[in-house]
Each structure stands twice: as structure tokens, then as C-alpha cells.
Amino acid sequence: AIFLLLRQRAEHLKARPGISAWSDASFGIYLIHPLLIFATMPLSRYFDGMLWLFMVLDVAVVAVLSFVIIRVLRRMAWFRQIS
């Protein structure tokens, strides 16, 4: 329902550079995030008893790192050609 509402109101919504950048990188983020999750899992042992805090921080860190990695990789001509 939210997507239908947004699609109907699309002409009234402003384009935002930040959202466009995340949208452009979303497929790359989808592809790379499992590697980062796997890499950050050993850090969970430091959050014994507060695993919920680790999960919240991990989601934020993995999302931002995935975005940054994809943006950096897209600056390389050879990567741009395959992505």
C-alpha cells in the first residue's frame, strides 16, 4: 500500500540526492552485505548479554560500509563496466 501511495504521488515528491545515491547503489549493497555480515560476526562475542545492541550497530555499520565500498568501487573504470 505504501508503494502504491508513493507511486501515485511521485510527481509531487522532490528528488533527493542522498536517496538517489542509495538507490543507485542498492544492488551492489545487496550483493556485498553478506560478506560484511560474515566479517563482523566474530565481534558479537564482545556484546555478551547485549546482543540486541550488536545487531543494531551491525545493521548500521554493514549498511554504511556496503554503500561506501560500492561508491569507491564505482570510481574505478573497470568496475563501472561490469556493474
Side-chain angles (χ1 to χ4, degrees):
I2 292 172
F3 288 113
L4 291 175
L5 177 66
L6 289 174
R7 189 181 331 160
Q8 289 173 354
R9 305 294 298 169
E11 65 274 357
H12 301 292
L13 299 173
K14 286 191 217 176
R16 299 183 192 245
I19 293 174
S20 295
W22 278 85
S23 174
D24 186 41
S26 64
F27 186 63
I29 292 170
Y30 168 75
L31 291 177
I32 201 167
H33 86 276
L35 298 173
L36 294 175
I37 291 172
F38 183 72
T40 58
M41 286 311 282
L43 299 175
S44 66
R45 67 181 171 184
Y46 298 112
F47 290 85
D48 191 35
M50 293 189 303
L51 199 54
W52 63 271
L53 179 60
F54 171 74
M55 292 189 319
V56 170
L57 292 173
D58 197 42
V59 166
V61 168
V62 166
V64 171
L65 277 177
S66 298
F67 176 74
V68 169
I69 289 169
I70 293 302
R71 295 288 290 196
V72 168
L73 287 175
R74 286 208 174 147
R75 291 178 185 246
M76 299 175 198
W78 63 269
F79 188 80
R80 243 189 338 268
Q81 291 175 350
I82 62 172
S83 70

